Amino acid sequence: MAASPKGDFFDSSRAAVQDRELQRKLESASTRHLDHFAIVKAEFPLYEAEKDAAHRIKTDAIAHLDELLIQLTDKLHANGCKVFFAENAEQARKYIVDLAKAKGATRVVKGKSMTTEEIELNPAFKAAGIDPVETDLGEYIVQLRGEGPSHIITPAIHLSKEDIGHLFTEQFGIEYTSEPEKLTAEARQRLRAIFLTADFGITGVNFAIAETGTLIVVENEGNGRLSSSMPDTFVAIMGIEKVIPRLADLSHFLEILARTATGQKLTTYTSFISGPRREGELDGPREMHVVILDNGRSAMLADPVLREALNCIRCGACLNVCPIYRRIGGHAYKSVYPGPIGSIVSPNLFGSAAGYLPFASTLCGACKDICPVKINIPRILLHLRWKETEGERPLKWPAALEGARAGARRFAGIARHPRTIRMLGRLAAQMLKPFAHNGYLRRMPSPFSNWTKYRNFPRPHPHKRRPASSEVREP
């Protein structure tokens, strides 16, 4: 299991809700993503058919995961790769850091990888005296700020171009500019120099093909290709769920991944990595390692409801439509995996420290509608809520929320008796009538004060007795 999330979700989400500037940036970026997605989806009549195909392939792959992982491992070995299965984050970290030290590496270039964020690889490198450099532009920016990504696909979604301009001026001593082209050129120039001197590279993996032992890395900046091909030693790290059966299956995922993730028809770079440099080849790593990480995924596989979440291809689309994410952003979740899918994955990675996250959802279903592999996210969130509530060690809620939950439980007990409900309703309507203004209550006692703290509550009206069917006359 990875390290527990740091900080309190309730404190961070409360602060984020009050940050209007953060919400403006999230709203702008998410809306732009969704507009682009709507265009490329409308242009592609086969989109729904490709979703069905991707869902079918992933579901079948997860059902036969053990067989596919054996097949993948055999093919990777045959291709000249060294394979390491890591049961948890600690084992994965140790293997990679020990390898880098054995190779005498002092600087590591990293392509984008949420899995390395999951196992907290960068702090481990720094503790070992090795300098890890994020080479994806968004990851590079948040690394300069000393923070983690706030979105699975767009790590710096919480920043404006003006924020980045000020950051570059502060970090590099250059003249301030907010022009994206100039900022990108500055980052590219600095990263190219680092690529030329790096002797150790790491990337994540989007798909691993069991049939051929080929790893697929999908990206837009070319940094993943450089990280995997320029250093002498290359490490690919992937969760066990990334494997798909056949090369022919890949096209179905490529058709939907870029469309939902970034609103593109296809990403700029799709790298097929089939092992280290072979005799006579001029480029590519001389040594290639593949770290295959479990870290709680087998437990998800064993749960008949939760295993569906392993179908996720990390497109991040569910974050863009989530009303909670768009309100508080990724950092408030206190987990490397924020948003709806993060609220499912995180409790299985971090345990009860992230047990609150399945409750951070309105269950509106927008995440289910946009998911390109048709994961029923609301159903899984409800399943996790049930597990947390029925668990041996129930979550410890803040006092105000515990009061509200206790009130809801009492109401659920009373609601089983309709006559009592009607009687209480009539009583409340009479008692609250003097306090109402234009039909609304501005203040109510605890636990209802949590509601009226933010909005008015409609005054209950006396319940009118519904006439029995025998009393209804035809006009």
Side-chain angles (χ1 to χ4, degrees):
M1 186 171 289
S4 298
K6 299 176 178 60
D8 183 274
F9 167 69
F10 298 100
D11 288 343
S12 60
S13 57
R14 195 177 296 116
V17 162
Q18 296 171 359
D19 190 340
R20 301 295 184 191
E21 180 61 13
L22 171 66
Q23 288 153 25
R24 184 192 66 76
K25 295 168 187 170
L26 292 171
E27 192 67 24
S28 173
S30 300
T31 301
R32 191 165 56 250
H33 273 302
L34 294 175
D35 288 345
H36 292 165
F37 167 61
I39 292 170
V40 293
K41 179 185 173 186
E43 293 173 346
F44 186 51
L46 296 177
Y47 180 76
E48 292 299 328
E50 293 291 6
K51 277 179 65 175
D52 291 339
H55 170 75
R56 187 178 63 253
I57 293 166
K58 269 300 241 181
T59 302
D60 184 64
I62 297 301
H64 299 88
L65 199 52
D66 51 349
E67 301 167 22
L68 291 176
L69 285 172
I70 293 172
Q71 185 182 4
L72 174 68
T73 304
D74 290 343
K75 289 294 181 183
L76 287 170
H77 283 150
N79 292 344
C81 302
K82 297 179 180 178
V83 181
F84 178 74
F85 276 88
E87 183 180 344
N88 52 43
E90 183 180 359
Q91 289 182 7
R93 276 197 307 267
K94 186 174 187 312
Y95 180 84
I96 297 171
V97 173
D98 285 352
L99 179 64
K101 289 164 69 176
K103 297 296 178 185
T106 56
R107 174 174 281 176
V108 173
V109 286
K110 290 181 62 198
K112 191 174 186 319
S113 165
M114 292 306 295
T115 311
T116 61
E117 298 286 345
E118 175 186 329
I119 66 171
E120 297 187 321
L121 186 58
N122 282 2
F125 272 136
K126 288 179 181 174
I130 299 170
D131 180 26
V133 180
E134 299 287 352
T135 60
D136 171 87
L137 181 57
E139 293 278 0
Y140 183 58
I141 289 167
V142 295
Q143 186 183 34
L144 289 173
R145 286 170 58 91
E147 59 187 17
S150 64
H151 190 287
I152 293 173
I153 294 297
T154 44
I157 193 173
H158 57 297
L159 301 174
S160 66
K161 60 181 185 297
E162 289 79 15
D163 294 331
I164 299 167
H166 287 299
L167 174 70
F168 278 24
T169 299
E170 178 186 322
Q171 292 284 331
F172 305 141
I174 62 173
E175 184 180 353
Y176 170 78
T177 177
S178 61
E179 292 183 38
E181 294 79 8
K182 290 185 178 179
L183 294 170
T184 303
E186 180 68 28
R188 181 185 295 123
Q189 180 184 355
R190 292 176 180 274
L191 288 172
R192 283 296 171 110
I194 293 172
F195 275 122
L196 292 173
T197 58
D199 41 19
F200 199 93
I202 301 175
T203 73
V205 175
N206 292 95
F207 306 98
I209 299 170
E211 178 185 49
T212 59
T214 306
L215 306 181
I216 309 300
V217 177
V218 177
E219 38 124 5
N220 275 316
E221 300 172 17
N223 64 300
R225 184 166 294 179
L226 290 174
S227 297
S228 61
S229 61
M230 292 193 70
D232 279 346
T233 305
F234 167 57
V235 176
I237 180 167
M238 55 175 272
I240 58 174
E241 80 282 10
K242 296 288 187 180
V243 62
I244 59 174
R246 298 164 295 273
L247 185 61
D249 297 327
L250 179 64
S251 64
H252 299 292
F253 294 98
L254 296 182
E255 291 285 12
I256 58 173
L257 177 57
R259 283 181 165 84
T260 50
T262 54
Q264 296 171 278
K265 295 177 182 176
L266 197 66
T267 50
T268 309
Y269 296 90
T270 302
S271 299
F272 292 64
I273 305 171
S274 297
R277 180 189 308 187
R278 294 173 176 80
E279 188 174 348
E281 292 181 341
L282 298 178
D283 57 10
R286 299 184 187 279
E287 191 171 311
M288 178 172 163
H289 297 248
V290 181
V291 177
I292 302 177
L293 179 69
D294 186 322
N295 202 33
R297 289 165 174 81
S298 291
M300 294 174 68
L301 183 65
D303 186 314
V305 175
L306 201 49
R307 63 162 48 190
E308 186 184 356
L310 294 174
N311 287 2
C312 179
I313 56 174
R314 301 286 191 270
C315 69
C318 60
L319 281 66
N320 298 332
V321 295
C322 177
I324 302 297
Y325 178 87
R326 291 172 69 141
R327 187 90 173 179
I328 64 175
H331 289 155
Y333 286 81
K334 297 297 178 185
S335 170
V336 296
Y337 296 114
I341 192 64
S343 297
I344 292 173
V345 172
S346 299
N348 292 281
L349 298 179
F350 307 118
S352 59
Y356 303 99
L357 297 187
F359 296 84
S361 170
T362 64
L363 302 177
C364 66
C367 48
K368 175 188 172 188
D369 293 340
I370 201 169
C371 178
V373 285
K374 306 179 75 169
I375 300 174
N376 192 338
I377 293 175
R379 173 173 174 257
I380 303 174
L381 289 172
L382 282 173
H383 176 67
L384 287 172
R385 290 182 185 187
W386 172 78
K387 289 181 69 172
E388 291 292 349
T389 304
E390 299 296 319
E392 295 180 358
R393 292 190 300 174
L395 296 171
K396 183 176 176 59
W397 295 87
L401 288 177
E402 186 54 58
R405 290 171 62 81
R409 284 194 293 271
R410 285 194 292 272
F411 178 79
I414 297 172
R416 296 190 179 96
H417 307 284
R419 287 186 179 178
T420 305
I421 286 289
R422 284 196 291 272
M423 184 186 71
L424 291 175
R426 285 195 292 271
L427 184 62
Q430 293 303 322
M431 290 179 65
L432 295 174
K433 187 176 179 180
F435 304 101
H437 181 72
N438 292 331
Y440 285 90
L441 298 162
R442 294 179 177 175
R443 292 188 182 84
M444 293 181 73
S446 177
F448 304 104
S449 57
N450 284 323
W451 179 285
T452 53
K453 191 184 297 180
Y454 301 102
R455 68 197 75 181
N456 295 335
F457 189 83
R459 180 179 74 83
H461 289 275
H463 184 78
K464 294 181 179 178
R465 188 176 71 86
R466 186 174 299 171
S469 57
S470 59
E471 297 175 354
V472 177
R473 295 180 178 178
E474 293 295 332

